[in-house]
């Protein structure tokens, strides 16, 4: 267990991908930090989540020494496939944009980050509860918390909230100084992980009258599949047999015929929502990643936004410590939110185009959905726009 310091430059609340990448990148700029993580290390390292790393995100990981295992074990994907009305369309990322994405599980990335943090000697205090901050409107904030039965306070220059969608940090911004924007979708995703070979080398996003389906993977032996389910569904309603039968029904025949099924090793139900909390800075408190914004997983943007926020934050904090500049800090929220909203738009667009909205079949919106898919299938320009967003807009 790390010794708990009394003072550091930056206290990072939350040791997920945003918090741990931030600590490592600050260490590379000789800025010391402490990470406070609510859960145990083991719990964080077991969570199964995202898997698609954008082109620029992968470059950032590589340039900062995080990407060795990603490069050795990840899979470069130069396109994705869309299935609709019995047809398959391949969106050729490489041909349309000259870029690609890398398939590498968030669980593996988290392991790599914790290994680096340990090697860097950054204190990672896990099982840190009851986190509260003082003085974020002053130049001398502090963070109090409990750890294994004892109370602690760390004095610092900055507090960074990387505590995810259910975190507490954004609530430290006074009510009158923050705004949130939200869209709830009337369905969820049921996800299944199985030790079976993926049905296809690249991801397949399927629009079907029974609902959306996604065929994804972690490696040649580990497949990740998702199905659109009703908003209030529970895991009990999705025994493996039902899941596989429903997935088979939603895939084009040529694909369904080659699907290898097997026992699930993990299953989840994930609600879908788009949500942004603004601003991402108040005084000496700055937010990054899911602590400030959540997108539906349809466009694979959540983890990638956490990475771009961190890149902007490191610029801002380096400017402060290297030459006393406040420009990066002053512009952080606006800069990050400009990119966040483009990803919110893209994830909303993919979600809206590919899912069945209960109650909307056969009406005006259903026709628009058909028109959107037909346009995409028939227009290289539309495909280029999708590819440009999917591989990731520049940081
Ligand atoms: C089930 C699921 C599936 C997903 N699938 C995808 C996908 O396919 N593609 C994609 O791009 N994205 C996906 N995402 C989103 C992606 O995983 C997140 O965007 C990403 O984890 C964001 O990283 P983060 O570090 O900002 O937040 P998190 O990963 O949520 O990390 C926040 C950390 O803060 C800790 N914490 C919370 N509260 C406190 C507190 N009070 N004090 C201290 N620590 C605290 C948490 O324990 C956690 O470790 C998925 C998310 C979930 C939940």
């Amino acid at each position: 267990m790390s010794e708990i310091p009394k003072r550091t430059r930056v206290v990072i609340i939350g040791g997920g991908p945003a918090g741990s990448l931030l600590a490592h990148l600050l260490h590379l700029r000789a800025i010391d930090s402490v990470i406070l993580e609510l859960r145990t290390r083991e719990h964080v390292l077991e969570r199964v989540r995202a898997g698609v790393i954008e082109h620029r995100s992968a470059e950032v990981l590589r340039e900062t020494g995080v990407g060795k295992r990603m490069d050795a074990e990840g899979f470069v994907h130069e396109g994705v496939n869309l299935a609709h009305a019995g047809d398959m369309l391949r969106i050729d990322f490489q041909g349309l944009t000259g870029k690609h994405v890398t398939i590498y599980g968030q669980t593996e990335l988290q392991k790599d980050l914790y290994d680096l943090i340990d090697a860097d000697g950054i204190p990672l205090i896990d099982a840190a509860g009851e986190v509260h901050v003082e003085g974020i409107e002053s130049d001398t904030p502090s963070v109090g918390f409990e750890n294994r039965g004892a109370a602690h306070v760390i004095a610092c220059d900055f507090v960074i909230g990387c505590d995810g969608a259910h975190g507490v940090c954004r609530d430290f911004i006074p009510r009158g100084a923050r705004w949130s924007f939200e869209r709830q979708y009337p369905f969820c995703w049921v996800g299944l992980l199985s030790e079976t070979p993926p049905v296809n080398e690249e991801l397949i996003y399927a629009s079907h009258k029974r609902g959306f389906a996604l065929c994804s993977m972690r490696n040649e032996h580990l497949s990740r599949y998702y199905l659109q389910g009703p908003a209030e569904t529970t895991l009990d309603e999705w025994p493996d047999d039902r899941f596989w039968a429903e997935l088979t029904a939603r895939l084009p025949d040529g694909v369904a015929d080659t699907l290898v099924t097997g026992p699930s090793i993990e299953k989840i139900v994930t609600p879908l929502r788009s949500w942004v909390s603004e601003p991402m800075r108040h005084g000496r408190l700055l937010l990054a990643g899911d602590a400030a914004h959540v997108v539906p997983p349809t466009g694979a943007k959540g983890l990638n936004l956490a990475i771009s926020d961190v890149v902007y934050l490191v610029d801002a904090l380096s400017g402060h410590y290297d030459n006393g500049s406040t420009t990066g800090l002053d512009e952080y929220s606006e800069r990050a939110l400009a990119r966040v909203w483009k990803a919110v738009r893209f994830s909303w667009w993919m979600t809206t185009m590919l899912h069945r909205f209960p109650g909307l079949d056969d009406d005006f919106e259903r026709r628009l959905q058909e028109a959107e898919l037909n346009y995409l299938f028939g227009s290289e320009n539309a495909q280029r726009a999708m590819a440009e967003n999917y591989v990731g807009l520049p940081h």
Side-chain angles (χ1 to χ4, degrees), residues 13-19 36-39 44 47-51 106 128 131 162-168 226 268 270 288-291 297 300-304 306:
I13 301 176
L36 303 179
E37 166 57 48
L38 176 67
R39 314 303 292 257
V44 174
R47 285 191 302 225
V48 180
R49 287 184 173 180
Q106 183 172 326
V131 167
C162 296
D163 53 347
H166 305 291
V168 293
Y226 293 99
I268 54 156
T270 308
D290 278 19
K301 293 289 164 233
L303 174 62
N304 292 292

Side-chain angles (χ1 to χ4, degrees), residues 32-92:
D32 58 285
S33 68
V34 173
I35 304 173
L36 303 179
E37 166 57 48
L38 176 67
R39 314 303 292 257
T40 63
R41 213 176 238 258
E42 295 69 34
H43 177 93
V44 174
L45 289 171
E46 273 168 14
R47 285 191 302 225
V48 180
R49 287 184 173 180
V52 178
I53 314 267
E54 291 175 356
H55 191 94
R56 180 66 196 136
S57 298
E59 285 179 343
V60 167
L61 298 176
R62 201 168 291 129
E63 287 161 8
T64 56
V66 188
K68 285 192 191 73
R69 214 157 58 89
M70 173 190 76
D71 281 337
E73 297 174 21
F75 295 86
V76 168
H77 280 196
E78 298 188 347
V80 288
N81 302 278
L82 297 178
H84 172 58
D87 286 339
M88 281 264 277
L89 167 73
R90 179 168 187 268
I91 307 286
D92 177 5

Side-chain angles (χ1 to χ4, degrees), residues 39 85 144 156 172 205 216 219 274 314 325 335 350 360 381:
R39 314 303 292 257
C156 57
F172 299 139
Y205 288 83
S216 181
N219 59 47
S274 306
V314 172
S325 166
R335 195 178 171 204
M350 276 193 75
L360 288 187
N381 287 334

Side-chain angles (χ1 to χ4, degrees), residues 51-52 75 77 103-105 193 196-204 214-225:
V52 178
F75 295 86
H77 280 196
I103 304 300
Y104 187 61
L193 190 69
T196 53
V199 71
N200 195 55
E201 281 183 0
E202 293 174 342
L203 273 64
I204 301 175
L214 170 61
C215 305
S216 181
M217 71 284 291
R218 292 292 175 264
N219 59 47
E220 308 102 310
H221 313 292
L222 203 53
S223 298
R224 185 72 155 149
Y225 296 105

Side-chain angles (χ1 to χ4, degrees), residues 23-335:
H24 173 62
L25 267 51
L26 290 177
H27 174 83
L28 296 180
R29 306 279 183 110
I31 301 170
D32 58 285
S33 68
V34 173
I35 304 173
L36 303 179
E37 166 57 48
L38 176 67
R39 314 303 292 257
T40 63
R41 213 176 238 258
E42 295 69 34
H43 177 93
V44 174
L45 289 171
E46 273 168 14
R47 285 191 302 225
V48 180
R49 287 184 173 180
V52 178
I53 314 267
E54 291 175 356
H55 191 94
R56 180 66 196 136
S57 298
E59 285 179 343
V60 167
L61 298 176
R62 201 168 291 129
E63 287 161 8
T64 56
V66 188
K68 285 192 191 73
R69 214 157 58 89
M70 173 190 76
D71 281 337
E73 297 174 21
F75 295 86
V76 168
H77 280 196
E78 298 188 347
V80 288
N81 302 278
L82 297 178
H84 172 58
D87 286 339
M88 281 264 277
L89 167 73
R90 179 168 187 268
I91 307 286
D92 177 5
F93 298 153
Q94 198 64 40
L96 293 164
T97 68
K99 295 179 180 169
H100 57 256
V101 295
T102 304
I103 304 300
Y104 187 61
Q106 183 172 326
T107 317
E108 302 308 314
L109 178 61
Q110 189 71 66
K111 277 184 206 146
D112 299 340
L113 285 167
Y114 274 14
D115 286 349
L116 276 169
I117 282 168
D118 290 343
D120 293 341
I122 299 166
L124 165 61
I125 317 298
D126 69 346
E130 306 296 327
V131 167
H132 55 278
V133 304
E134 303 291 338
I136 55 168
E137 291 173 351
S138 75
D139 291 346
T140 53
S142 62
V143 181
F145 60 99
E146 290 186 0
N147 185 240
R148 296 178 165 88
H152 302 270
V153 177
I154 304 180
C156 57
D157 301 332
F158 294 95
V159 180
I160 314 293
C162 296
D163 53 347
H166 305 291
V168 293
C169 286
R170 63 186 164 275
D171 294 338
F172 299 139
I173 301 178
R175 274 204 172 276
R178 67 185 147 95
W179 297 267
S180 69
F181 304 86
E182 183 164 24
R183 164 84 31 110
Q184 304 261 9
Y185 299 91
F187 39 74
C188 71
W189 277 15
V190 184
L192 177 148
L193 190 69
S194 63
E195 285 170 329
T196 53
V199 71
N200 195 55
E201 281 183 0
E202 293 174 342
L203 273 64
I204 301 175
Y205 288 83
S207 158
H208 192 275
K209 62 180 186 235
R210 298 178 69 93
F212 167 80
L214 170 61
C215 305
S216 181
M217 71 284 291
R218 292 292 175 264
N219 59 47
E220 308 102 310
H221 313 292
L222 203 53
S223 298
R224 185 72 155 149
Y225 296 105
Y226 293 99
L227 291 174
Q228 174 183 349
E232 304 302 328
T233 204
T234 60
L235 277 183
D236 303 344
E237 296 174 56
W238 293 92
D240 289 3
D241 287 352
R242 179 184 175 201
F243 186 97
W244 291 119
E246 192 58 41
L247 178 63
T248 306
R250 295 183 191 187
L251 296 176
D253 290 345
V255 177
D257 293 347
T258 62
L259 179 68
V260 179
T261 64
S264 60
I265 55 169
E266 195 247 10
K267 252 192 267 182
I268 54 156
V269 169
T270 308
L272 268 68
R273 65 178 179 135
S274 306
W275 166 85
V276 181
S277 180
E278 297 187 4
M280 289 172 63
R281 175 196 175 193
H282 184 82
R284 292 282 178 127
L285 171 68
L286 298 97
L287 304 176
D290 278 19
H293 40 75
V294 172
V295 289
T298 325
K301 293 289 164 233
L303 174 62
N304 292 292
L305 283 179
I307 293 174
S308 56
D309 287 352
V310 164
V311 168
Y312 296 150
L313 254 181
V314 172
D315 275 359
L317 291 167
S318 300
H320 170 85
Y321 284 112
D322 292 349
N323 50 39
S325 166
T326 60
T327 310
L329 291 166
D330 292 341
E331 293 178 352
Y332 168 68
S333 181
E334 197 179 335
R335 195 178 171 204

